[in-house]
Amino acid sequence: MEGIDFLKVVISELTGEVKVIADKNFIKMDKRKRADYLEVTRDLIIQLWIKAEEVAEDEEN
């Protein structure tokens, strides 16, 4: 997928802490468009977290 990276999501393996890092182009973006990107990002983080829990449970069994 081609495009400009506006956001970087970093998830700590040790603590599970999630950080979303925005670049200057994202900060200059229209507020409504930023909100749309953040909503999609939030949904993706939730999906990743659920998948990680499933993988962890499979490895335990």
Side-chain angles (χ1 to χ4, degrees), residues 5-52:
D5 294 332
F6 291 117
L7 301 171
K8 180 192 292 186
V9 177
V10 180
I11 304 172
S12 170
E13 184 177 353
L14 297 175
T15 64
E17 179 183 16
V18 177
K19 291 182 182 179
V20 178
I21 303 167
D23 76 354
K24 64 183 178 185
N25 293 319
F26 180 79
I27 295 167
K28 293 178 184 176
M29 193 181 294
D30 174 80
K31 287 183 181 183
R32 181 169 287 152
K33 196 170 183 180
R34 283 194 325 231
D36 290 343
Y37 275 105
L38 289 173
E39 184 175 339
V40 168
T41 302
R42 184 199 70 211
D43 292 345
L44 288 171
I45 291 169
I46 291 168
Q47 290 175 23
L48 285 170
W49 193 267
I50 292 169
K51 185 65 177 174

